[in-house]
Amino acid sequence: MNNLFVYCEIEDGIIADVSLELLTKGRTLADKLGCRLEAVVAGNKLDGVEKQVLPYGVDKLHVFDDARLYPYTSLPHASILINLFKEEKPQICLMGATVIGRDLGPRVSSALKSGLTADCTSLEIGSYEDKKNGVTVDNLLYQIRPAFGGNIVATIINPENRPQMATVREGVMKKEILEEGYKGEVVGHEVGKYVADTDYVIKVVSRNIRKAKHNLKGAPIIVSGGYGVGSRENFNLLFDLAKVINAEVGGSRAAVDAGFCDHDRQIGQTGVTVRPKLYIACGISGQIQHIAGMQESSIIISVNSDPAAPINSIADYVITGTVEEVVPKMIKYYKKNSK
């Protein structure tokens, strides 16, 4: 009762990284609340799935195993969460801001009349003072995300309805095993008690999953460009630098919209979230939408002609100058010192 739940996505028997990241964050939040961390996995052939989930500090794993639950379809998975939550009455539910999470989350929150905050970049526990009614509510989930086109960071709370629901993008939270041998309870549910036969009206006949061309999320070094790079031709300098230092190339939304680089290289709130060891930001002003997607990088180098560019405030090193001036010198230096 009143525990913290994480819905875990599964593909080909593997729990999604975003779900494991949320389990890591969920464990921290549950400790602050003094409650249990519970997880839900729905799919087929789930024997041994607890070995992937429990090490992240999960106290109780709810397993729903049925051939008709995989691949994902909306109605059966929504019915599982809706009916399970009516029984368990969780105070918080987290899920990934993925294709599945963006379909499932609103269905569940609408049915339970609980509300949902999408695309959160941070989650914390705090209190809220209702000055109008003279009431203070403790242990609320602070659902933090950019708002109004990224011009502000909004903290959203839900003092009245439960569960408090939020989706989080992959890569925003850290993924960290708590204890390999963590002892948690595994409960196998009878799916028929939660899902009506009519919920299986839609069947997936075939699937064609197209994987991303570029491995930005797994790259240890990223060279990224913004609108300040100036042109698609100048963007080629970033590819030249990336080739020398074995890096991937990314871009801000402004660079993508200007046609300087492909959309699947976009980093930020509306693109990919990354946390490389080294992030070289070239000609990027540092709007909050972009910052949200790379601020957890270990080391940030900013190359910008504007000394007052917002990104400089979070950069570890700032190089003032144009991309045309600085990047060729960096390429020359790395070539000389890598031999």
Side-chain angles (χ1 to χ4, degrees):
M1 297 287 287
N2 299 318
N3 291 323
L4 190 154
F5 278 66
V6 174
Y7 171 80
C8 296
E9 296 182 28
I10 189 165
E11 180 68 37
D12 293 332
I14 306 297
I15 299 294
D17 280 348
V18 67
S19 300
L20 300 179
E21 292 164 8
L22 289 174
L23 290 177
T24 302
K25 184 63 177 182
R27 180 68 270 167
T28 301
L29 297 176
D31 288 342
K32 289 183 178 179
L33 292 167
C35 70
R36 285 156 59 95
L37 172 63
E38 304 193 29
V40 181
V41 179
N44 187 221
K45 298 179 181 178
L46 298 179
D47 291 343
V49 72
E50 67 274 6
K51 296 176 183 177
Q52 298 183 57
V53 176
L54 296 185
Y56 288 85
V58 173
D59 298 304
K60 187 175 183 179
L61 171 62
H62 301 266
V63 178
F64 295 84
D65 195 335
D66 190 295
R68 296 171 294 179
L69 293 176
Y70 184 83
Y72 170 88
T73 51
S74 303
L75 293 179
H77 284 248
S79 292
I80 285 171
L81 290 190
I82 292 166
N83 292 317
L84 178 65
F85 288 175
K86 285 180 178 178
E87 289 179 357
E88 298 290 334
K89 295 179 172 52
Q91 59 177 309
I92 293 173
C93 171
L94 307 177
M95 58 182 68
T98 61
V99 172
I100 289 176
R102 286 169 176 154
D103 173 71
L104 181 61
R107 291 174 182 271
V108 175
S109 64
S110 176
L112 298 177
K113 297 179 173 60
S114 65
L116 170 73
T117 301
D119 289 324
C120 292
T121 56
S122 182
L123 300 170
E124 302 295 339
I125 301 297
S127 59
Y128 167 69
E129 182 183 358
D130 184 350
K131 294 181 180 180
K132 182 178 180 180
N133 297 311
V135 176
T136 298
V137 184
D138 295 320
N139 294 329
L140 287 175
L141 179 67
Y142 285 3
Q143 302 155 59
I144 303 166
R145 57 153 296 160
F148 292 102
N151 292 314
I152 65 169
V153 175
T155 299
I156 300 168
I157 58 170
N158 183 356
E160 298 176 0
N161 303 89
R162 297 292 179 269
Q164 302 163 88
M165 294 187 63
T167 64
V168 180
R169 295 172 62 84
E170 182 178 357
V172 172
M173 310 292 179
K174 289 183 179 179
K175 180 180 71 173
E176 190 172 57
I177 288 176
L178 179 68
E179 182 185 331
E180 285 289 355
Y182 193 87
K183 301 298 181 183
E185 180 185 2
V186 180
V187 179
H189 292 277
E190 186 178 334
V191 177
K193 292 182 178 179
Y194 296 82
V195 185
D197 289 338
T198 52
D199 287 339
Y200 298 109
V201 64
I202 295 177
K203 294 183 179 180
V204 178
V205 178
S206 64
R207 291 198 302 163
N208 182 13
I209 300 176
R210 191 168 141 190
K211 295 184 178 180
K213 298 178 184 177
H214 315 294
N215 184 27
L216 285 170
K217 288 182 290 186
I221 304 174
I222 295 177
V223 180
S224 191
Y227 188 76
V229 171
S231 66
R232 193 175 183 92
E233 291 70 30
N234 285 350
F235 224 87
N236 290 331
L237 289 171
L238 307 190
F239 284 97
D240 293 340
L241 175 59
K243 185 176 181 180
V244 173
I245 61 177
N246 296 316
E248 268 288 359
V249 175
S252 68
R253 178 172 180 172
V256 171
D257 289 345
F260 296 168
C261 66
D262 297 334
H263 182 269
D264 56 2
R265 293 188 182 276
Q266 184 173 321
I267 295 171
Q269 180 70 15
T270 51
V272 178
T273 300
V274 297
R275 49 174 73 230
K277 294 179 179 178
L278 174 61
Y279 190 89
I280 304 176
C282 302
I284 295 176
S285 63
Q287 296 299 314
I288 195 169
Q289 299 99 319
H290 185 77
I291 297 297
M294 47 67 68
Q295 61 187 344
E296 294 297 325
S297 304
S298 298
I299 298 176
I300 300 171
I301 299 175
S302 173
V303 178
N304 205 296
S305 58
D306 180 9
I311 198 168
N312 293 348
S313 64
I314 67 164
D316 297 283
Y317 303 95
V318 176
I319 302 174
T320 303
T322 65
V323 171
E324 301 96 309
E325 294 170 345
V326 177
V327 173
K329 292 179 181 179
M330 295 177 73
I331 293 172
K332 183 179 179 180
Y333 175 84
Y334 284 121
K335 282 184 176 179
K336 180 180 178 181
N337 289 275
S338 62
K339 294 179 180 179

